Amino acid sequence: MVFMRKRSLKMKIEKSAKIGFCFGVRRALDILQKEARKRGGIETFGDIVHNEQVLQNLAKQGIRVAHTIPDIRGKVVVLGAHGVTPEVEEQIKARGIAVINTTCPFVHRAQIAARRLVEAGFFVIVYGDADHAEVKGILGWAKDKGIATTDEKVVASLKKLPRRVGILSQTTMIPSKFLRFVKDNLDTVYIKDSEIRIVDTICHDIRERQAAALKLAKNVDVMLVIGGRESANTSHLAVLCATAAKTYKIETADELKKSWFKGKNKIGITAGASTADETIEEIIKKLSGFK
Ligand code: SF4
C-alpha cells in the first residue's frame, strides 16, 4: 500500500509499495512464537532472522538463541528461515533434540535445485555471499560440490572446471546482477562438450520489493533503507536505490541525521524483509518531526 504524508510545509514521506515482513520471515516468526507460547519458551539455532530489533523482541518472549550445537540446552530447537545444511540438522537430531524447521520454502527451493544439480553430476556455482547462513546451507545441500562467490574471476581461477556446471543464486540477490554474473561466466564455463544449467532461485518477494523500491527511488530526493546490519536483502536494496537517489541505510531511528534532509522535499522509505513495522513507523515518526 502506498500513501503520502505531508508532515511539514515541504517534506513529503512516501513508503514503498512493498514493505514489511516477507512471507518467509512472517511464517518463521509465526511458527516460532506459537511454539514458544505452547512450551513457555524455546530456543533457536542461530538467529532466526537477521534483524536485531526483532531478535530483542523475541528474547522478551522467552526465546533463547543457541549459537552452536553444544550450546542447545533444551530438547527442542527451531531452525531459522535461512535454512541449514542437512548435516547440521542430522547432528542436532543425533543428540536426541527435536527440530522444528522454519526454512523459507523459497530457500528450500534453492536447496533442492542445488541437490538435484549435484545428483545429476553438475558442479554448483552459487552467486552469493559465501559467509551467509543461507549460502552455506545451499552448499551443504550441494554436498559441498560447489562454490559460492559474487566475483566472476573466482570461477575463472578454478584449477579444473567440470564439464557440467549449474549456476544458481542466493535468494536475495539483485536479478540484473545475477544475469550479469551468468553472462560474465559463460566464456569460462563454456568448454568442449560442456553442459550448463542456470536456475533462477531469486525469491519473488525480493524481486517485487526491489522493483518497488527502485520505482520510488526514481521519484524522490532521498531514500531511507531500513533493516538489520547483517541483513543481505537490506544491503542489496540500498545498493539498488543508490543507483537512482541519495540513499541512507539505517537500522534504528537513532541513526537518523537531520542534515541528510536539508533542502530535500521528497523522502522515500523502503525496508528489508525482516524489518518490523514498528521500527519503520518509529523512524517515520522521528523523520516527520524534522523541519
Ligand atoms: S526474502 Fe524471500 S527467500 Fe528470504 S525469507 Fe523472505 S520470502 Fe523467503
Side-chain angles (χ1 to χ4, degrees):
M1 186 178 69
V2 180
F3 66 92
M4 299 288 288
R5 297 177 179 204
K6 196 165 182 180
R7 294 291 182 176
S8 71
L9 280 178
K10 283 185 178 170
M11 197 188 287
K12 283 181 179 172
I13 302 168
E14 185 173 343
K15 283 205 286 190
S16 173
K18 180 86 182 175
I19 203 162
F21 287 150
C22 66
F23 156 78
V25 167
R26 167 60 57 212
R27 177 178 170 275
L29 292 175
D30 283 351
I31 296 170
L32 174 64
Q33 287 168 308
K34 194 173 149 211
E35 287 297 328
R37 278 196 300 274
K38 198 164 85 184
R39 297 167 192 272
I42 200 162
E43 285 171 287
T44 62
F45 180 67
D47 295 338
I48 189 144
V49 293
H50 288 162
N51 185 283
E52 191 50 39
Q53 290 65 45
V54 171
L55 295 175
Q56 284 170 8
N57 190 23
L58 293 175
K60 287 181 199 152
Q61 298 170 46
I63 294 162
R64 177 184 177 270
V65 180
H67 294 284
T68 60
I69 296 175
D71 188 29
I72 301 170
R73 295 177 189 164
K75 285 283 160 212
V76 185
V77 75
V78 178
L79 306 180
H82 295 117
V84 297
T85 66
E87 287 70 29
V88 165
E89 189 164 346
E90 278 161 25
Q91 283 167 20
I92 294 172
K93 286 179 179 166
R95 290 182 165 236
I97 299 163
V99 161
I100 298 169
N101 192 336
T102 73
T103 303
C104 172
F106 298 116
V107 173
H108 191 50
R109 188 181 61 171
Q111 294 172 338
I112 294 289
R115 173 60 57 97
R116 283 188 183 145
L117 283 167
V118 163
E119 285 177 351
F122 284 75
F123 179 78
V124 172
I125 299 170
V126 182
Y127 174 63
D129 175 0
D131 292 327
H132 193 280
E134 178 197 314
V135 175
K136 287 181 183 169
I138 293 170
L139 281 178
W141 277 76
K143 302 181 180 176
D144 289 325
K145 289 182 178 134
I147 54 160
T149 183
T150 53
D151 181 355
E152 74 283 352
K153 291 189 205 77
V154 170
V155 179
S157 70
L158 288 176
K159 276 201 185 109
K160 189 172 176 289
L161 259 172
R163 196 173 56 78
R164 296 177 135 182
V165 172
I167 309 176
L168 46 84
S169 174
Q170 184 175 353
T171 56
T172 53
M173 302 304 269
I174 297 170
S176 60
K177 292 200 169 200
F178 176 50
L179 195 57
R180 181 79 263 151
F181 177 83
V182 169
K183 285 179 181 167
D184 286 348
N185 273 300
L186 277 182
D187 278 349
T188 307
V189 296
Y190 178 67
I191 54 175
K192 186 176 176 301
D193 297 330
S194 61
E195 190 176 344
I196 301 158
R197 282 193 198 167
I198 298 150
V199 190
D200 175 13
T201 47
I202 296 176
C203 146
H204 77 90
D205 177 287
I206 290 298
R207 279 176 190 277
E208 289 171 10
R209 192 173 296 260
Q210 289 178 355
L214 186 59
K215 189 175 170 199
L216 179 58
K218 287 177 179 167
N219 287 300
V220 296
D221 303 311
V222 175
M223 274 302 283
L224 278 183
V225 180
I226 306 167
R229 269 177 270 282
E230 302 296 321
S231 162
N233 79 84
T234 305
S235 299
H236 298 146
L237 271 180
V239 167
L240 200 60
C241 290
T243 63
K246 181 72 189 165
T247 299
Y248 298 98
K249 180 163 91 76
I250 57 169
E251 192 173 287
T252 65
D254 293 343
E255 293 162 55
L256 278 177
K257 287 198 172 69
K258 215 171 172 178
S259 57
W260 295 346
F261 310 102
K262 202 165 175 228
K264 309 293 184 195
N265 298 324
K266 290 165 88 180
I267 317 298
I269 308 270
T270 186
S274 55
T275 308
D277 287 345
E278 298 76 48
T279 306
I280 298 166
E281 290 310 320
E282 204 180 305
I283 286 169
I284 291 177
K285 194 173 166 205
K286 183 163 179 186
L287 184 60
S288 304
F290 291 164
K291 297 277 183 255

